[in-house]
Amino acid sequence: MADETTDLLERLASLPANRREAALRLLGRDTEAGTLRPRVDPSTPVRLSSGQEQVWLTDLMTGEPGSLVDHVAFRLHGPLDLAALHAAFGDLVARHEPLRSRLIRQGEIPMLVSGSAPVDVSVTDLTGQGIAAATAAATSDLAVPFDLEQGPLARLRLYRLAPDDHVLVLASHHMVTDGVSQGVLLVDLEVLYQARREGRPAALAPLRVQYADFAQWQRGFLAGERLTTLTRYWTDRLAHTSGRLLLPLDNPRSARRGGAYLDFTAPAGLADRVATAARQHATTPFVVLLTAFRLLLWRLTAQRDTLVGTPVSARPLAETENMVGYFLNMVVLRGTADPDASLREVIAAEHASAMSAYAHQDLPFEQLVTQLRPPREMGSTPLVQSVFSVEGQPGMSGSYLGASCEEIVLTGGRAQYDLMVKVVRDVELTARWDFDDAIIDATRITEWARQFWALVDAVTSDPGRRVRDIPGLGDVPPDPSQDDQGTVEVLAWAGTADRVEPQGYLQETIAAAWQSLLGVSPGAHDALFDLGGHSLTVAQLSFRLSDTFRAHVGVAELFEYQTVAAQAEYVERLLLERAAQLSPDEREQLLDGQP
């Protein structure tokens, strides 16, 4: 047995890091839970995975469902076989089930069902025009939302500038792909394209399982004692935090989000200093950069205790390594800016916090939000409003589809969070600031980026320096979050001291829907989230009230109007707007009480 154990350890040590991690995760799980099996009937609808559910709810809250579009774009210099490319994309959609899925409802539960779907490919002829025309056309196309109920959830766009000059855009809804999935799709598309050009079968191994199989497996895996342990950890870790980041805004929030980005390159030499600091502190460049970002948030908000989200690719099984689907989970990193601590101590604290969070990363973010029930604010995401990440390499370049290739970045789409900062590590550091430009102006982002690089410079300079001695951090005002009540607290108010019963048809009908979903009888002024509601409850309530009143009762509006009384007033406005569209005869029939 000892020899077998030694052999196993040696084989584990020789595996690539991602394979070794997957193997170690499997060793800690029972055999039955770790087995990913194909579904008996692939055409049977499957409930969304936890990650997909979070993306879907975020998508609904943008005010324009289907607008969370993920994409990669390239400029290709060289001849392209358009017929082979069209056929290869059809093969790609046939191979990967999520691309040919669509959203359906079973009751108020969102489900994905796969099947045959039309292949969405188009070529726009811009011969004689420049790259600006292609990027403008591509940006406009990216702004077109996907029809989640009709599908397909992926499309290929080609913009022809010359016979040997094209811009290629592969777009999908964020609910069915992530960054790793994009890489898988690009590799497979190239293999399929070459096979089509040469008239031979593609050298791709058949897929035994698909993402829907994983989604079904995940629901069973995250249960029982495992779920209890994870929930207990995060409940304790995030206790006594408001979950609200008080960033200075240029415009008030609304139900509809904006979306923009700006790129900023770090001063020369800063990348090497970050790497050196990480080695000195026995941590990672991510932790060093996160420390600077945390200090920036303190400077901007005066809040010493802040929550920052970081997306983690949660592919726990070997079968999921090259699977197309949405595997990202938002991990919440809690940290404190202590003015009297040294930078060495602050970096060590960030390191410990990150390592602890990563060890408990399997709890889906939406389940965490459901458990903690943080206050809600219209146009804002719960618990986390800022996201920070670091990538180790720049985008793709070289050759693709037999042509020389350079990746290009397109604007467009909706911001998922108030602020998302992604640092790409190459010879130098580049930070992409994605932000909601409906509430934050670009000039403000530019200044924040300048301050961020200055803080990175400070963090990597003198580890013994106290935080308060860093320029710009010595005069940060007292933390306002303890005294701030604001709109969020009003929205989360649990009602008057004396219960007021729902009155009238609209309030009583809405209250009945609440009771059916929550299992409690609400008063007219009770707040949905104080009675145990969560994001999925709001989506379910939207479906139910839309069916009941034959009008679109929006998710974003239900987040804004959180009491029975407020929702009744909102629905009344919808019905009056619909009544205004009736003909005079129809209005008379309505007023006479005729069907």
Side-chain angles (χ1 to χ4, degrees):
M1 179 63 71
D3 291 342
E4 292 177 359
T5 302
T6 301
D7 179 64
L8 174 60
L9 291 175
E10 290 176 350
R11 293 177 64 186
L12 281 172
S14 66
L15 289 174
N18 60 338
R19 291 293 303 277
R20 183 168 62 253
E21 175 68 15
L24 291 174
R25 283 172 175 262
L26 280 174
L27 287 173
R29 298 171 180 172
D30 60 88
T31 303
E32 185 65 24
T35 301
L36 186 59
R37 297 188 176 92
R39 306 179 317 283
V40 175
D41 182 1
S43 64
T44 301
V46 174
R47 184 172 176 178
L48 304 182
S49 71
S50 296
Q52 285 181 316
E53 214 163 72
Q54 177 62 30
V55 173
W56 172 69
L57 291 166
T58 303
D59 185 79
L60 289 176
M61 291 173 62
T62 64
E64 190 174 16
S67 62
L68 293 186
V69 179
D70 208 6
H71 76 277
V72 286
F74 304 100
R75 187 173 187 179
L76 302 174
H77 294 281
L80 283 181
D81 186 333
L82 300 187
L85 182 59
H86 191 292
F89 185 68
D91 296 337
L92 188 73
V93 171
R95 176 175 172 80
H96 295 288
E97 192 176 88
L99 306 185
R100 47 187 168 83
S101 298
R102 59 187 179 87
L103 193 72
I104 65 170
R105 283 166 43 196
Q106 288 191 351
E108 286 90 25
I109 302 297
M111 314 281 282
L112 276 182
V113 60
S114 64
S116 60
V119 178
D120 190 355
V121 178
S122 70
V123 179
T124 302
D125 191 352
L126 299 174
T127 301
Q129 302 185 49
I131 185 64
T135 56
T139 299
S140 178
D141 287 343
L142 282 178
V144 178
F146 282 98
D147 187 332
L148 301 183
E149 295 183 359
Q150 296 297 320
L153 300 185
R155 58 194 181 218
L156 186 72
R157 297 289 181 264
L158 197 67
Y159 305 91
R160 180 187 179 99
L161 299 174
D164 59 351
D165 188 2
H166 297 83
V167 170
L168 174 72
V169 180
L170 176 60
S172 57
H173 191 271
H174 212 349
M175 192 168 58
V176 297
T177 56
D178 56 15
V180 173
S181 298
Q182 287 180 338
V184 172
L185 292 174
L186 290 172
V187 170
D188 284 4
L189 180 61
E190 186 165 37
V191 172
L192 293 165
Y193 173 75
Q194 296 298 343
R196 283 287 184 173
R197 289 192 67 190
E198 297 169 13
R200 57 171 175 79
L204 291 173
L207 300 177
R208 187 181 70 86
V209 288
Q210 295 275 359
Y211 184 81
D213 302 311
F214 165 78
Q216 198 169 62
W217 171 88
Q218 185 193 51
R219 296 274 174 192
F221 168 69
L222 288 170
E225 183 60 29
R226 185 180 288 108
L227 180 60
T228 301
T229 300
L230 289 170
T231 302
R232 185 184 304 118
Y233 167 83
W234 284 108
T235 300
D236 293 343
R237 177 62 185 147
L238 300 181
H240 310 299
T241 179
S242 69
R244 185 186 180 199
L245 188 65
L246 305 175
L247 287 172
L249 305 180
D250 295 294
N251 302 297
R253 295 186 185 277
S254 66
R256 185 174 292 273
R257 282 186 172 275
Y261 78 89
L262 292 171
D263 288 338
F264 300 94
T265 301
L270 200 54
D272 289 339
R273 290 172 53 194
V274 168
T276 299
R279 288 192 297 270
Q280 290 175 340
H281 294 282
T283 188
T284 63
F286 169 79
V287 169
V288 174
L289 292 164
L290 174 63
T291 301
F293 186 67
R294 183 88 63 188
L295 295 177
L296 174 66
L297 293 182
W298 175 49
R299 181 175 185 174
L300 298 178
T301 68
Q303 293 173 273
R304 293 177 57 181
D305 184 5
T306 53
L307 303 181
V308 174
T310 190
V312 174
S313 182
R315 292 174 177 260
L317 303 174
E319 297 96 324
T320 61
E321 288 180 21
N322 294 309
M323 182 180 286
V324 170
Y326 186 82
F327 290 91
L328 293 181
N329 188 34
M330 188 62 67
V331 174
V332 183
L333 303 178
R334 185 176 188 178
T336 303
D338 182 354
D340 296 315
S342 68
L343 286 171
R344 181 182 295 106
E345 292 169 331
V346 173
I347 292 174
E350 286 288 0
H351 176 87
S353 174
M355 295 304 102
S356 179
Y358 290 153
H360 298 85
Q361 65 178 272
D362 284 337
L363 185 67
F365 180 75
E366 177 57 26
Q367 291 191 29
L368 176 61
V369 172
T370 300
Q371 181 68 30
L372 296 179
R373 291 166 53 196
R376 306 293 184 120
E377 184 177 9
M378 179 185 66
S380 178
T381 49
L383 206 60
V384 166
Q385 295 89 50
S386 69
V387 174
F388 186 81
S389 62
V390 175
E391 290 188 359
Q393 57 187 3
M396 177 177 169
S397 62
S399 65
Y400 188 63
L401 302 181
S404 64
C405 159
E406 58 179 307
E407 187 169 1
I408 60 177
V409 179
L410 303 173
T411 59
R414 302 286 180 186
Q416 296 185 54
Y417 299 88
D418 291 353
L419 184 64
M420 294 180 66
V421 178
K422 179 175 69 176
V423 178
V424 177
R425 294 169 51 224
D426 195 15
V427 176
E428 297 297 344
L429 301 175
T430 300
R432 166 152 298 170
W433 292 65
D434 283 284
F435 60 101
D436 183 353
D437 62 343
I439 57 174
I440 305 174
D441 291 344
T443 53
R444 189 183 292 272
I445 294 294
T446 301
E447 174 58 21
W448 291 356
R450 185 194 65 78
Q451 295 178 24
F452 172 67
W453 290 133
L455 287 170
V456 173
D457 177 74
V459 165
T460 57
S461 296
D462 179 5
R465 191 181 199 177
R466 288 193 313 167
V467 168
R468 68 167 67 253
D469 294 332
I470 297 174
L473 298 184
D475 56 354
V476 177
D479 189 339
S481 60
Q482 298 300 318
D483 300 325
D484 180 78
Q485 300 300 317
T487 307
V488 176
E489 298 300 328
V490 174
L491 292 176
W493 178 53
T496 59
D498 298 323
R499 174 185 171 94
V500 177
E501 294 295 331
Q503 298 179 0
Y505 165 68
L506 291 178
Q507 288 192 15
E508 291 172 356
T509 302
I510 292 171
W514 281 36
Q515 183 169 7
S516 175
L517 292 170
L518 302 174
V520 295
S521 176
H525 299 294
D526 288 335
L528 181 66
F529 294 107
D530 286 339
L531 298 183
H534 48 82
S535 297
L536 182 57
T537 309
V538 176
Q540 293 171 328
L541 184 63
S542 169
F543 292 151
R544 186 165 298 193
L545 297 184
S546 295
D547 290 343
T548 299
F549 297 113
R550 293 181 296 168
H552 176 63
V553 179
V555 169
E557 286 74 17
L558 292 182
F559 272 100
E560 180 179 0
Y561 307 117
Q562 294 188 17
T563 67
V564 169
Q567 290 178 3
E569 292 178 1
Y570 162 58
V571 170
E572 182 177 22
R573 291 197 298 273
L574 292 179
L575 297 180
L576 289 175
E577 290 172 4
R578 191 171 72 191
Q581 306 300 318
L582 298 176
S583 68
D585 290 342
E586 289 172 329
R587 288 184 206 170
E588 290 300 322
Q589 291 177 1
L590 179 68
L591 295 174
D592 289 341
Q594 299 179 28

